[in-house]
Amino acid sequence: MNVRVNRALSASGATAAVAAVAALAAPASAADTPRFLSASQLPPHPASAWHAGPVTAGQPDPLPMCVGDALPSTSVHRVFRTDYDTGALQVTVVERDAAAAKEFAALLRRHLDSCAQDVMAQDPEITAEQKYYGKLSVEEGAHVYGVHTEASWGASDINLFSVGRDGRIVTVVQWGQMGTFAHAQVADFKKTTVTAVDKLR
């Protein structure tokens, strides 16, 4: 199967269905945790309100594809859902200093740069196409990616990812639903990303 990368937008993306927060996960300490997105700050859904899970210490379970393997145990995350087929996730990592955070953000971007190839290598029944939607001017910057996956049995999903940094804090935001690139709420997702990075301090 072939990866079809939109060269005008460069390459990147990832697929992931976001699950509910694990029942036994412990809430993160508010004193040590940057502020997270609220449900109202997610891209609007046409038929449902967003519902936000608790801010929870540790890696999300299941791990998001493509960036999941890079997330350390010191991650803090929040899961969001709607009443339909749309979900979202925010994961934040506080590094020891700004240099370490810059390096970690670059690592996440490398994972996203090879995401479609990696997804298809892991599952030969999936075809993936990815796009890079550019850099956002917020704090130390944020980068937005998209990926569309299509399964041999007919499932079609679109996911948007962003990686942003403010000083020594890095955050990843993921949004996904059934559909194609035509259904991607890119403009709304960029606004959500800017809000997420602005809230890190």
Side-chain angles (χ1 to χ4, degrees):
M1 297 183 180
N2 296 321
V3 183
R4 305 185 304 276
V5 178
N6 184 321
R7 293 297 178 187
L9 296 172
S10 185
S12 274
T15 61
V18 180
V21 176
L24 298 180
S29 167
D32 300 328
T33 304
R35 293 182 301 153
F36 273 66
L37 290 165
S38 64
S40 64
Q41 293 166 329
L42 274 291
H45 190 282
S48 172
W50 282 94
H51 311 286
V55 174
T56 304
Q59 299 161 314
D61 181 17
L63 291 171
M65 293 182 69
C66 297
V67 295
D69 288 345
L71 297 174
S73 60
T74 54
S75 299
V76 182
H77 67 278
R78 189 174 209 180
V79 174
F80 303 85
R81 63 174 179 82
T82 66
D83 296 329
Y84 294 92
D85 61 353
T86 308
L89 170 72
Q90 182 181 7
V91 184
T92 296
V93 176
V94 180
E95 287 284 4
R96 64 183 179 277
D97 54 34
K102 182 177 181 180
E103 186 175 318
F104 178 56
L107 172 65
L108 292 172
R109 292 190 62 202
R110 287 196 296 273
H111 276 256
L112 288 170
D113 285 338
S114 64
C115 180
Q117 293 93 332
D118 294 343
V119 167
M120 297 200 323
Q122 293 164 7
D123 189 343
E125 295 193 63
I126 300 293
T127 299
E129 178 183 5
Q130 59 184 67
K131 296 181 180 182
Y132 173 57
Y133 288 108
K135 181 178 181 180
L136 304 179
S137 180
V138 53
E139 300 302 337
E140 274 69 60
H143 299 262
V144 178
Y145 308 81
V147 66
H148 170 242
T149 57
E150 188 169 359
S152 60
W153 58 89
S156 178
D157 296 286
I158 181 66
N159 279 267
L160 298 175
F161 276 75
S162 61
V163 176
R165 181 172 71 89
D166 184 356
R168 68 189 187 105
I169 309 172
V170 178
T171 195
V172 178
V173 182
Q174 180 266 341
W175 169 97
Q177 66 174 31
M178 294 173 60
T180 68
F181 282 116
H183 303 100
Q185 293 178 245
V186 178
D188 291 328
F189 185 76
K190 286 182 175 182
K191 292 178 183 177
T192 293
T193 295
V194 169
T195 300
V197 177
D198 274 337
K199 294 183 75 170
L200 292 178
R201 288 182 182 268

